[in-house]
PDB file of all heavy atoms in Angstrom:
ATOM      1  N   SER A 164      45.786 -22.144   6.151  1.00  0.00           N
ATOM      2  CA  SER A 164      45.776 -23.337   7.010  1.00  0.00           C
ATOM      3  C   SER A 164      44.957 -24.418   6.315  1.00  0.00           C
ATOM      4  O   SER A 164      43.877 -24.790   6.751  1.00  0.00           O
ATOM      5  CB  SER A 164      45.212 -22.995   8.386  1.00  0.00           C
ATOM      6  OG  SER A 164      46.068 -22.092   9.033  1.00  0.00           O
ATOM      7  N   VAL A 165      45.492 -24.903   5.233  1.00  0.00           N
ATOM      8  CA  VAL A 165      44.822 -25.835   4.338  1.00  0.00           C
ATOM      9  C   VAL A 165      45.207 -27.275   4.689  1.00  0.00           C
ATOM     10  O   VAL A 165      46.276 -27.513   5.251  1.00  0.00           O
ATOM     11  CB  VAL A 165      45.191 -25.491   2.867  1.00  0.00           C
ATOM     12  CG1 VAL A 165      46.686 -25.603   2.631  1.00  0.00           C
ATOM     13  CG2 VAL A 165      44.413 -26.316   1.872  1.00  0.00           C
ATOM     14  N   SER A 166      44.323 -28.210   4.359  1.00  0.00           N
ATOM     15  CA  SER A 166      44.603 -29.636   4.566  1.00  0.00           C
ATOM     16  C   SER A 166      44.405 -30.384   3.255  1.00  0.00           C
ATOM     17  O   SER A 166      43.490 -30.069   2.484  1.00  0.00           O
ATOM     18  CB  SER A 166      43.647 -30.234   5.606  1.00  0.00           C
ATOM     19  OG  SER A 166      43.765 -29.570   6.842  1.00  0.00           O
ATOM     20  N   PHE A 167      45.252 -31.379   3.038  1.00  0.00           N
ATOM     21  CA  PHE A 167      45.173 -32.234   1.852  1.00  0.00           C
ATOM     22  C   PHE A 167      45.163 -33.683   2.286  1.00  0.00           C
ATOM     23  O   PHE A 167      45.841 -34.049   3.240  1.00  0.00           O
ATOM     24  CB  PHE A 167      46.405 -32.045   0.956  1.00  0.00           C
ATOM     25  CG  PHE A 167      46.554 -30.663   0.412  1.00  0.00           C
ATOM     26  CD1 PHE A 167      47.301 -29.717   1.081  1.00  0.00           C
ATOM     27  CD2 PHE A 167      45.958 -30.305  -0.782  1.00  0.00           C
ATOM     28  CE1 PHE A 167      47.459 -28.437   0.580  1.00  0.00           C
ATOM     29  CE2 PHE A 167      46.098 -29.030  -1.298  1.00  0.00           C
ATOM     30  CZ  PHE A 167      46.846 -28.088  -0.613  1.00  0.00           C
ATOM     31  N   ILE A 168      44.420 -34.503   1.551  1.00  0.00           N
ATOM     32  CA  ILE A 168      44.532 -35.950   1.704  1.00  0.00           C
ATOM     33  C   ILE A 168      45.069 -36.477   0.379  1.00  0.00           C
ATOM     34  O   ILE A 168      44.518 -36.197  -0.688  1.00  0.00           O
ATOM     35  CB  ILE A 168      43.197 -36.615   2.067  1.00  0.00           C
ATOM     36  CG1 ILE A 168      42.672 -36.062   3.393  1.00  0.00           C
ATOM     37  CG2 ILE A 168      43.375 -38.146   2.152  1.00  0.00           C
ATOM     38  CD1 ILE A 168      41.313 -36.597   3.806  1.00  0.00           C
ATOM     39  N   VAL A 169      46.159 -37.239   0.486  1.00  0.00           N
ATOM     40  CA  VAL A 169      46.843 -37.806  -0.665  1.00  0.00           C
ATOM     41  C   VAL A 169      46.654 -39.319  -0.619  1.00  0.00           C
ATOM     42  O   VAL A 169      46.823 -39.941   0.439  1.00  0.00           O
ATOM     43  CB  VAL A 169      48.341 -37.441  -0.630  1.00  0.00           C
ATOM     44  CG1 VAL A 169      49.094 -38.065  -1.791  1.00  0.00           C
ATOM     45  CG2 VAL A 169      48.515 -35.927  -0.603  1.00  0.00           C
ATOM     46  N   ASP A 170      46.289 -39.907  -1.762  1.00  0.00           N
ATOM     47  CA  ASP A 170      46.064 -41.352  -1.801  1.00  0.00           C
ATOM     48  C   ASP A 170      47.380 -42.121  -1.877  1.00  0.00           C
ATOM     49  O   ASP A 170      48.465 -41.537  -1.933  1.00  0.00           O
ATOM     50  CB  ASP A 170      45.085 -41.730  -2.919  1.00  0.00           C
ATOM     51  CG  ASP A 170      45.643 -41.558  -4.330  1.00  0.00           C
ATOM     52  OD1 ASP A 170      46.876 -41.412  -4.507  1.00  0.00           O
ATOM     53  OD2 ASP A 170      44.827 -41.562  -5.271  1.00  0.00           O
ATOM     54  N   LYS A 171      47.272 -43.437  -1.878  1.00  0.00           N
ATOM     55  CA  LYS A 171      48.452 -44.304  -1.845  1.00  0.00           C
ATOM     56  C   LYS A 171      49.335 -44.165  -3.074  1.00  0.00           C
ATOM     57  O   LYS A 171      50.514 -44.488  -3.026  1.00  0.00           O
ATOM     58  CB  LYS A 171      48.017 -45.762  -1.688  1.00  0.00           C
ATOM     59  CG  LYS A 171      47.366 -46.058  -0.357  1.00  0.00           C
ATOM     60  CD  LYS A 171      46.868 -47.495  -0.324  1.00  0.00           C
ATOM     61  CE  LYS A 171      46.141 -47.790   0.969  1.00  0.00           C
ATOM     62  NZ  LYS A 171      45.636 -49.182   0.997  1.00  0.00           N
ATOM     63  N   SER A 172      48.770 -43.683  -4.167  1.00  0.00           N
ATOM     64  CA  SER A 172      49.566 -43.517  -5.383  1.00  0.00           C
ATOM     65  C   SER A 172      50.184 -42.122  -5.485  1.00  0.00           C
ATOM     66  O   SER A 172      50.865 -41.816  -6.458  1.00  0.00           O
ATOM     67  CB  SER A 172      48.723 -43.813  -6.623  1.00  0.00           C
ATOM     68  OG  SER A 172      47.719 -42.832  -6.784  1.00  0.00           O
ATOM     69  N   GLY A 173      49.928 -41.259  -4.492  1.00  0.00           N
ATOM     70  CA  GLY A 173      50.540 -39.931  -4.472  1.00  0.00           C
ATOM     71  C   GLY A 173      49.731 -38.846  -5.143  1.00  0.00           C
ATOM     72  O   GLY A 173      50.274 -37.812  -5.528  1.00  0.00           O
ATOM     73  N   VAL A 174      48.413 -39.030  -5.252  1.00  0.00           N
ATOM     74  CA  VAL A 174      47.534 -38.062  -5.898  1.00  0.00           C
ATOM     75  C   VAL A 174      46.659 -37.380  -4.845  1.00  0.00           C
ATOM     76  O   VAL A 174      46.118 -38.040  -3.949  1.00  0.00           O
ATOM     77  CB  VAL A 174      46.646 -38.758  -6.962  1.00  0.00           C
ATOM     78  CG1 VAL A 174      45.608 -37.806  -7.536  1.00  0.00           C
ATOM     79  CG2 VAL A 174      47.520 -39.324  -8.068  1.00  0.00           C
ATOM     80  N   ILE A 175      46.509 -36.060  -4.952  1.00  0.00           N
ATOM     81  CA  ILE A 175      45.644 -35.307  -4.030  1.00  0.00           C
ATOM     82  C   ILE A 175      44.197 -35.674  -4.337  1.00  0.00           C
ATOM     83  O   ILE A 175      43.718 -35.491  -5.443  1.00  0.00           O
ATOM     84  CB  ILE A 175      45.858 -33.785  -4.177  1.00  0.00           C
ATOM     85  CG1 ILE A 175      47.294 -33.415  -3.785  1.00  0.00           C
ATOM     86  CG2 ILE A 175      44.835 -33.018  -3.323  1.00  0.00           C
ATOM     87  CD1 ILE A 175      47.672 -31.977  -4.090  1.00  0.00           C
ATOM     88  N   ARG A 176      43.510 -36.184  -3.322  1.00  0.00           N
ATOM     89  CA  ARG A 176      42.138 -36.643  -3.504  1.00  0.00           C
ATOM     90  C   ARG A 176      41.117 -35.829  -2.725  1.00  0.00           C
ATOM     91  O   ARG A 176      39.918 -35.982  -2.926  1.00  0.00           O
ATOM     92  CB  ARG A 176      42.030 -38.109  -3.099  1.00  0.00           C
ATOM     93  CG  ARG A 176      42.880 -39.033  -3.941  1.00  0.00           C
ATOM     94  CD  ARG A 176      42.302 -39.303  -5.306  1.00  0.00           C
ATOM     95  NE  ARG A 176      41.062 -40.025  -5.217  1.00  0.00           N
ATOM     96  CZ  ARG A 176      40.962 -41.359  -5.140  1.00  0.00           C
ATOM     97  NH1 ARG A 176      42.035 -42.105  -5.170  1.00  0.00           N
ATOM     98  NH2 ARG A 176      39.776 -41.915  -5.051  1.00  0.00           N
ATOM     99  N   TYR A 177      41.581 -34.987  -1.805  1.00  0.00           N
ATOM    100  CA  TYR A 177      40.666 -34.202  -0.985  1.00  0.00           C
ATOM    101  C   TYR A 177      41.376 -32.931  -0.547  1.00  0.00           C
ATOM    102  O   TYR A 177      42.571 -32.962  -0.244  1.00  0.00           O
ATOM    103  CB  TYR A 177      40.236 -35.019   0.243  1.00  0.00           C
ATOM    104  CG  TYR A 177      39.303 -34.300   1.180  1.00  0.00           C
ATOM    105  CD1 TYR A 177      37.930 -34.400   1.040  1.00  0.00           C
ATOM    106  CD2 TYR A 177      39.801 -33.517   2.202  1.00  0.00           C
ATOM    107  CE1 TYR A 177      37.067 -33.738   1.905  1.00  0.00           C
ATOM    108  CE2 TYR A 177      38.951 -32.844   3.068  1.00  0.00           C
ATOM    109  CZ  TYR A 177      37.588 -32.960   2.913  1.00  0.00           C
ATOM    110  OH  TYR A 177      36.752 -32.288   3.770  1.00  0.00           O
ATOM    111  N   VAL A 178      40.636 -31.841  -0.505  1.00  0.00           N
ATOM    112  CA  VAL A 178      41.163 -30.571  -0.023  1.00  0.00           C
ATOM    113  C   VAL A 178      40.170 -29.986   0.975  1.00  0.00           C
ATOM    114  O   VAL A 178      38.975 -29.883   0.679  1.00  0.00           O
ATOM    115  CB  VAL A 178      41.364 -29.560  -1.179  1.00  0.00           C
ATOM    116  CG1 VAL A 178      41.795 -28.202  -0.638  1.00  0.00           C
ATOM    117  CG2 VAL A 178      42.367 -30.078  -2.198  1.00  0.00           C
ATOM    118  N   HIS A 179      40.661 -29.652   2.141  1.00  0.00           N
ATOM    119  CA  HIS A 179      39.888 -28.840   3.083  1.00  0.00           C
ATOM    120  C   HIS A 179      40.569 -27.479   3.053  1.00  0.00           C
ATOM    121  O   HIS A 179      41.687 -27.322   3.543  1.00  0.00           O
ATOM    122  CB  HIS A 179      39.906 -29.426   4.495  1.00  0.00           C
ATOM    123  CG  HIS A 179      38.986 -28.717   5.429  1.00  0.00           C
ATOM    124  ND1 HIS A 179      39.385 -27.606   6.135  1.00  0.00           N
ATOM    125  CD2 HIS A 179      37.698 -28.932   5.743  1.00  0.00           C
ATOM    126  CE1 HIS A 179      38.365 -27.178   6.866  1.00  0.00           C
ATOM    127  NE2 HIS A 179      37.331 -27.968   6.638  1.00  0.00           N
ATOM    128  N   PRO A 180      39.923 -26.477   2.446  1.00  0.00           N
ATOM    129  CA  PRO A 180      40.637 -25.251   2.098  1.00  0.00           C
ATOM    130  C   PRO A 180      40.940 -24.304   3.251  1.00  0.00           C
ATOM    131  O   PRO A 180      41.453 -23.214   3.013  1.00  0.00           O
ATOM    132  CB  PRO A 180      39.699 -24.598   1.088  1.00  0.00           C
ATOM    133  CG  PRO A 180      38.349 -25.087   1.454  1.00  0.00           C
ATOM    134  CD  PRO A 180      38.552 -26.480   1.971  1.00  0.00           C
ATOM    135  N   GLY A 181      40.684 -24.683   4.462  1.00  0.00           N
ATOM    136  CA  GLY A 181      41.049 -23.825   5.585  1.00  0.00           C
ATOM    137  C   GLY A 181      39.958 -23.763   6.622  1.00  0.00           C
ATOM    138  O   GLY A 181      38.934 -24.418   6.518  1.00  0.00           O
ATOM    139  N   GLY A 182      40.221 -22.978   7.634  1.00  0.00           N
ATOM    140  CA  GLY A 182      39.297 -22.948   8.756  1.00  0.00           C
ATOM    141  C   GLY A 182      39.531 -24.162   9.624  1.00  0.00           C
ATOM    142  O   GLY A 182      40.615 -24.726   9.666  1.00  0.00           O
ATOM    143  N   GLU A 183      38.481 -24.572  10.312  1.00  0.00           N
ATOM    144  CA  GLU A 183      38.635 -25.669  11.268  1.00  0.00           C
ATOM    145  C   GLU A 183      37.754 -26.848  10.910  1.00  0.00           C
ATOM    146  O   GLU A 183      36.765 -26.710  10.199  1.00  0.00           O
ATOM    147  CB  GLU A 183      38.304 -25.182  12.681  1.00  0.00           C
ATOM    148  CG  GLU A 183      36.876 -24.686  12.832  1.00  0.00           C
ATOM    149  CD  GLU A 183      36.646 -23.950  14.139  1.00  0.00           C
ATOM    150  OE1 GLU A 183      36.317 -24.624  15.144  1.00  0.00           O
ATOM    151  OE2 GLU A 183      36.785 -22.714  14.141  1.00  0.00           O
ATOM    152  N   PHE A 184      38.130 -27.999  11.419  1.00  0.00           N
ATOM    153  CA  PHE A 184      37.276 -29.185  11.404  1.00  0.00           C
ATOM    154  C   PHE A 184      37.539 -29.927  12.699  1.00  0.00           C
ATOM    155  O   PHE A 184      38.637 -29.904  13.243  1.00  0.00           O
ATOM    156  CB  PHE A 184      37.503 -30.061  10.161  1.00  0.00           C
ATOM    157  CG  PHE A 184      38.907 -30.571   9.976  1.00  0.00           C
ATOM    158  CD1 PHE A 184      39.345 -31.730  10.602  1.00  0.00           C
ATOM    159  CD2 PHE A 184      39.787 -29.900   9.141  1.00  0.00           C
ATOM    160  CE1 PHE A 184      40.629 -32.206  10.408  1.00  0.00           C
ATOM    161  CE2 PHE A 184      41.080 -30.371   8.937  1.00  0.00           C
ATOM    162  CZ  PHE A 184      41.498 -31.525   9.572  1.00  0.00           C
ATOM    163  N   HIS A 185      36.502 -30.539  13.224  1.00  0.00           N
ATOM    164  CA  HIS A 185      36.638 -31.270  14.477  1.00  0.00           C
ATOM    165  C   HIS A 185      35.426 -32.146  14.703  1.00  0.00           C
ATOM    166  O   HIS A 185      34.408 -32.020  14.030  1.00  0.00           O
ATOM    167  CB  HIS A 185      36.855 -30.337  15.675  1.00  0.00           C
ATOM    168  CG  HIS A 185      36.001 -29.111  15.636  1.00  0.00           C
ATOM    169  ND1 HIS A 185      34.648 -29.133  15.847  1.00  0.00           N
ATOM    170  CD2 HIS A 185      36.317 -27.826  15.376  1.00  0.00           C
ATOM    171  CE1 HIS A 185      34.168 -27.914  15.739  1.00  0.00           C
ATOM    172  NE2 HIS A 185      35.162 -27.097  15.443  1.00  0.00           N
ATOM    173  N   ASN A 186      35.538 -33.008  15.677  1.00  0.00           N
ATOM    174  CA  ASN A 186      34.529 -33.996  16.012  1.00  0.00           C
ATOM    175  C   ASN A 186      33.725 -33.551  17.235  1.00  0.00           C
ATOM    176  O   ASN A 186      34.247 -32.878  18.114  1.00  0.00           O
ATOM    177  CB  ASN A 186      35.246 -35.322  16.317  1.00  0.00           C
ATOM    178  CG  ASN A 186      34.309 -36.477  16.507  1.00  0.00           C
ATOM    179  OD1 ASN A 186      33.157 -36.413  16.114  1.00  0.00           O
ATOM    180  ND2 ASN A 186      34.816 -37.535  17.090  1.00  0.00           N
ATOM    181  N   ALA A 187      32.451 -33.901  17.245  1.00  0.00           N
ATOM    182  CA  ALA A 187      31.597 -33.807  18.435  1.00  0.00           C
ATOM    183  C   ALA A 187      31.380 -32.401  18.971  1.00  0.00           C
ATOM    184  O   ALA A 187      31.274 -32.203  20.165  1.00  0.00           O
ATOM    185  CB  ALA A 187      32.142 -34.714  19.546  1.00  0.00           C
ATOM    186  N   ARG A 188      31.304 -31.409  18.096  1.00  0.00           N
ATOM    187  CA  ARG A 188      30.990 -30.053  18.552  1.00  0.00           C
ATOM    188  C   ARG A 188      29.845 -29.447  17.756  1.00  0.00           C
ATOM    189  O   ARG A 188      29.633 -28.242  17.799  1.00  0.00           O
ATOM    190  CB  ARG A 188      32.229 -29.161  18.455  1.00  0.00           C
ATOM    191  CG  ARG A 188      33.284 -29.526  19.482  1.00  0.00           C
ATOM    192  CD  ARG A 188      34.496 -28.649  19.440  1.00  0.00           C
ATOM    193  NE  ARG A 188      34.194 -27.242  19.536  1.00  0.00           N
ATOM    194  CZ  ARG A 188      35.084 -26.276  19.347  1.00  0.00           C
ATOM    195  NH1 ARG A 188      36.324 -26.585  19.039  1.00  0.00           N
ATOM    196  NH2 ARG A 188      34.754 -25.013  19.430  1.00  0.00           N
ATOM    197  N   ALA A 189      29.126 -30.274  17.009  1.00  0.00           N
ATOM    198  CA  ALA A 189      28.064 -29.761  16.141  1.00  0.00           C
ATOM    199  C   ALA A 189      26.987 -29.023  16.930  1.00  0.00           C
ATOM    200  O   ALA A 189      26.341 -28.120  16.402  1.00  0.00           O
ATOM    201  CB  ALA A 189      27.434 -30.901  15.339  1.00  0.00           C
TER     202      ALA A 189
END
């Protein structure tokens, strides 16, 4: 369950390799 962020030129710039991410639960 991986996430990628791809920039405007089509290049992978960030990888979240799995697990969860979320806001306001720290």
Side-chain angles (χ1 to χ4, degrees):
S164 295
V165 61
S166 301
F167 298 92
I168 300 177
V169 178
D170 70 15
K171 294 176 183 179
S172 67
V174 173
I175 297 171
R176 298 284 295 274
Y177 179 91
V178 175
H179 187 273
E183 61 192 272
F184 59 85
H185 41 71
N186 187 18
R188 290 182 54 189

